[in-house]
Amino acid sequence: MKRSRYASAATAVVLMTGGPVAVATTAAADPARTVTAAPAAPRADVTAESAAAAALKHYPGVIESLDKDGSVWHVDVISKDGKGHVELEVSASASVTEQDRDTDENAAENKPLVSAKVTAQQAMKAALTAHPGQVTTVEWDDDGTASWHVEVKGKDGRTWDVQVDPTTGKVTRSGSDSDSDSDSDDGDDNN
């Protein structure tokens, strides 16, 4: 009983002089009161392919771009009629958050993307066949000749920039971050 009074008195003094931080330190010093925190659950990183599937489940259409920023994927989707556009974020756990939605897009501007024979998902697959690794970016590029631009973090440690033809699905150009100033090869590189 005497011990309890001393502990209570000591706690009261600590509270008056040290505040909550001191109480936490005092409580942690007592092994009977120490609680071990459960280990943090491992973070489930979503792949580009999974992020694309989650985005399209939320908003059916055609992926215009997909880009990884930390553990979050930013995905732009155009509706199948070309009039709608949505910006989504897909988290590391594959939950989808809508950032912005527009329903009065110019369908004529989006027609080449919407009618492309090769989707973003197929372009990613072609790029990964040429350069195994993980896709970090895929985007529709219609400046000049339309193509898919895919960036792959290769298993070889290099970052590969790959262009995929939207009609045939073939890799038309690729280069890595360690290539010369041209940053690309002139021909098909299926290494």
Side-chain angles (χ1 to χ4, degrees):
M1 191 69 161
K2 242 182 186 179
R3 178 184 157 118
S4 294
R5 272 190 251 148
Y6 289 127
S8 295
T11 302
V13 169
V14 167
L15 282 173
M16 289 187 299
T17 60
V21 174
V23 171
T25 305
T26 304
D30 184 359
R33 294 184 184 191
T34 303
V35 177
T36 305
R43 191 177 83 196
D45 276 336
V46 171
T47 64
E49 297 84 354
S50 297
L56 292 174
K57 183 176 180 183
H58 178 84
Y59 187 84
V62 179
I63 291 179
E64 179 181 36
S65 68
L66 181 138
D67 183 46
K68 189 169 187 180
D69 183 15
S71 63
V72 175
W73 289 95
H74 299 278
V75 187
D76 285 352
V77 180
I78 302 295
S79 62
K80 292 179 183 178
D81 66 3
K83 295 179 182 178
H85 172 249
V86 68
E87 295 175 18
L88 304 170
E89 284 188 358
V90 180
S91 72
S93 63
S95 64
V96 179
T97 305
E98 195 168 305
Q99 299 300 308
D100 190 33
R101 184 185 288 228
D102 187 8
T103 56
D104 61 353
E105 289 279 311
N106 182 345
E109 272 185 27
N110 293 322
K111 187 175 181 180
L113 168 63
V114 172
S115 63
K117 292 182 180 178
V118 176
T119 65
Q121 300 89 314
Q122 293 166 325
M124 288 189 282
K125 188 174 182 177
L128 289 172
T129 298
H131 304 287
Q134 294 183 346
V135 171
T136 57
T137 302
V138 62
E139 62 186 341
W140 177 254
D141 182 5
D142 62 355
D143 292 338
T145 303
S147 67
W148 286 105
H149 169 80
V150 184
E151 191 171 286
V152 176
K153 178 71 174 174
K155 288 183 179 180
D156 58 4
R158 296 191 282 181
T159 300
W160 292 93
D161 290 314
V162 182
Q163 274 191 308
V164 178
D165 185 285
T167 304
T168 66
K170 290 190 176 216
V171 172
T172 57
R173 189 177 74 185
S174 68
S176 76
D177 55 0
S178 64
D179 285 347
S180 64
D181 292 339
S182 70
D183 198 34
S184 66
D185 295 333
D186 289 332
D188 193 18
D189 184 3
N190 290 322
N191 300 9

